[in-house]
Amino acid sequence: EAAVTQSPRNKVAVTGGKVTLSCNQTNNHNNMYWYRQDTGHGLRLIHYSYGAGSTEKGDIPDGYKASRPSQENFSLILELATPSQTSVYFCASGEGDNEQFFGPGTRLTVL
Amino acid sequence: QQKVQQSPESLSVPEGGMASLNCTSSDRNFQYFWWYRQHSGEGPKALMSIFSDGDKKEGRFTAHLNKASLHVSLHIRDSQPSDSALYFCAASDWAQGLTFGLGTRVSVFP
């Protein structure tokens, strides 16, 4: 079965600090995605990528950057973390309209 | 306005009973619909997809799509305690990821 891993699983950051969330997939999928999950908002798409070197803005990209250095790795970067970015972040991989495979999530708390 | 709307917000079902979840989209660009299930502390996992009018059955789960009204439903037959989870409807226009609804929390009680 497809495997998507995320690190760290939990992170506490200070306001104004830089945070990097990492995602690795072993499915050889071209597409990778970053979502955040908040009560009352469901899952919202932040950034996505069609392959190594590509990043695209999703529905809520403000305050986030993404990096896709290879087929397997996709990072989400918060250059200046704010308390409003406290959330659970999920990475996923997939192809076109086929099933997306999600990682276990990273719980980020910004104090 | 939420592009994918789900109802009800929560649902309690007796073990062995039928759970029915609803989803409506307001965007006709959406061509594919998915149902995902998320257990507490885990990432969402796909249950099934549907993109043709009518019913699609996979085990105890049946999805129904009406493209004219952009309404999708999921029916869980013979509900089990392991079916207790958060269920998401998601729509795809291929161009960018999935657009999720807010979810329906299903609780199966003995």
Side-chain angles (χ1 to χ4, degrees):
Chain A
E1 189 173 313
V4 179
T5 56
Q6 295 182 231
S7 63
R9 293 295 313 278
N10 291 280
K11 173 75 178 179
V12 179
V14 296
T15 297
K18 182 177 180 178
V19 176
T20 300
L21 306 182
S22 300
C23 177
N24 177 274
Q25 56 111 350
T26 58
N27 317 315
N28 200 31
H29 288 153
N30 286 318
N31 299 345
M32 295 186 74
Y33 310 87
W34 276 107
Y35 298 88
R36 63 177 284 178
Q37 183 174 20
D38 305 283
T39 303
H41 291 281
L43 284 154
R44 292 179 290 174
L45 182 65
I46 306 170
H47 284 289
Y48 59 102
S49 167
Y50 292 126
S54 105
T55 60
E56 306 288 338
K57 293 180 179 179
D59 297 322
I60 52 163
D62 292 347
Y64 302 93
K65 293 168 90 171
S67 173
R68 182 87 182 270
S70 65
Q71 179 82 340
E72 297 79 20
N73 296 295
F74 190 35
S75 297
L76 186 68
I77 303 150
L78 290 66
E79 296 276 6
L80 294 169
T82 68
S84 65
Q85 293 175 313
T86 293
S87 185
V88 180
Y89 291 85
F90 288 99
C91 175
S93 74
E95 294 285 1
D97 283 310
N98 292 330
E99 178 181 353
Q100 287 188 18
F101 294 87
F102 283 77
T106 294
R107 183 173 296 276
L108 173 66
T109 302
V110 182
L111 301 175
Chain B
Q1 182 190 356
Q2 197 76 16
K3 285 188 176 181
V4 177
Q5 296 179 311
Q6 291 186 242
S7 65
E9 288 186 17
S10 62
L11 182 61
S12 288
V13 186
E15 187 172 350
M18 172 80 82
S20 295
L21 291 68
N22 296 294
C23 173
T24 302
S25 170
S26 60
D27 190 337
R28 292 209 165 269
N29 289 318
F30 291 142
Q31 296 295 310
Y32 292 81
F33 294 88
W34 286 87
W35 285 99
Y36 279 76
R37 181 167 73 178
Q38 184 181 30
H39 286 110
S40 182
E42 300 178 3
K45 186 170 183 179
L47 278 173
M48 61 194 304
S49 65
I50 186 167
F51 55 86
S52 297
D53 273 318
D55 292 337
K56 181 178 180 181
K57 184 178 177 182
E58 291 192 6
R60 296 184 294 108
F61 299 89
T62 300
H64 177 82
L65 172 61
N66 181 323
K67 276 192 166 182
S69 61
L70 289 180
H71 180 260
V72 189
S73 59
L74 178 69
H75 305 278
I76 308 172
R77 176 178 56 83
D78 187 24
S79 296
Q80 302 297 308
S82 58
D83 294 328
S84 294
L86 186 58
Y87 289 76
F88 289 106
C89 172
S92 170
D93 63 0
W94 191 88
Q96 60 165 57
L98 292 168
T99 299
F100 284 82
L102 298 184
T104 293
R105 186 163 296 283
V106 174
S107 299
V108 180
F109 61 92

